[in-house]
């Protein structure tokens, strides 16, 4: 049996969980809760991922896999390759997934700046610089990728939806929808998928 080291609030974990739901593999995976920060590894699976990050996937036929993009490719292949299409569409899917993960990277750095760094040492311009990355990425998706998002389900769509869900979860005071009405409408529909509703992070 596979073992996924995870946290229900991690958006990278959510990508994996949505994929498991969509491909019918959830019952094949044991979920092990892990938690930590960049300054305190806590219960992170260091033996499985020396970087001290989640998700990390233990498998019976080889060393543990990480990060979320590697795990998603592995699980999709295990299920018969449903969510990573053949080239040339594959390159668009991978680029969209990378864009979504970049949004998450910036959004999580903003969380750590406020939560981990002492208040007197927090640097607001740095945090706003992270938000600028997010805004540019969302504008690019709105301008370039809407036709892809409305096509057959793939990992690019799942990654974008999980990124948007995380922005709402941790940065709900930021009105990203105002400048991205088409993306907002798409997300409203996509968020109603059973796989998304089953993986909403706890408040």
């Amino acid at each position: 049996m596979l073992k996924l080291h995870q946290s229900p609030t991690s958006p990278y974990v959510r990508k994996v969980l949505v994929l498991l739901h969509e491909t019918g593999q959830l019952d094949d995976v044991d979920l092990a809760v892990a938690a930590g920060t960049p300054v305190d590894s806590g219960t992170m699976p260091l033996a499985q991922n020396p970087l001290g990050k989640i998700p990390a996937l233990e498998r019976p036929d080889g060393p543990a896999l990480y990060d979320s993009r590697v795990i998603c490719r592995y699980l999709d292949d295990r299920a018969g390759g449903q969510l990573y299409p053949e080239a040339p569409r594959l390159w668009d899917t991978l680029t969209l997934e990378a864009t979504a993960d970049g949004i998450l990277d910036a959004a999580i750095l903003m969380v750590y700046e406020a939560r981990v760094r002492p208040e007197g040492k927090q640097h607001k311009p740095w945090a706003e610089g992270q938000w600028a990355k997010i805004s540019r990425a969302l504008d690019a998706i709105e301008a370039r990728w809407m036709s892809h998002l409305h096509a057959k389900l793939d990992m690019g769509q799942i990654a974008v939806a999980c990124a948007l869900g995380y922005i709402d979860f941790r940065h709900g005071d930021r009105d990203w929808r105002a400048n991205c009405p088409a993306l907002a409408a798409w997300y409203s529909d996509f968020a109603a998928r059973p796989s998304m509703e089953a993986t909403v992070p706890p408040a």
Side-chain angles (χ1 to χ4, degrees), residues 71 84 111 136 151 156 158 163 170 184 186 202:
I71 293 171
Y84 288 94
V111 171
R136 289 194 301 269
I158 291 172
R170 294 299 193 197
W186 171 84

Side-chain angles (χ1 to χ4, degrees), residues 138-139 142 146 150 176-188:
L138 295 178
D139 289 345
E142 176 88 359
M146 293 312 303
H150 284 290
W176 64 267
R177 290 170 174 80
N179 292 328
C180 301
L183 183 58
W186 171 84
Y187 177 63
S188 179

Side-chain angles (χ1 to χ4, degrees), residues 124-137:
K124 186 174 180 179
W126 186 88
E128 290 305 313
Q130 300 305 317
W131 182 255
K133 296 178 187 178
I134 294 170
S135 295
R136 289 194 301 269

Side-chain angles (χ1 to χ4, degrees), residues 15-23 25 72 75 83 155:
K15 286 172 53 185
V16 176
L17 293 176
V18 170
L19 182 152
L20 290 172
H21 279 276
E22 293 286 352
T23 59
Q25 298 184 83
C72 287
L75 291 172
L83 296 175
M155 200 61 214

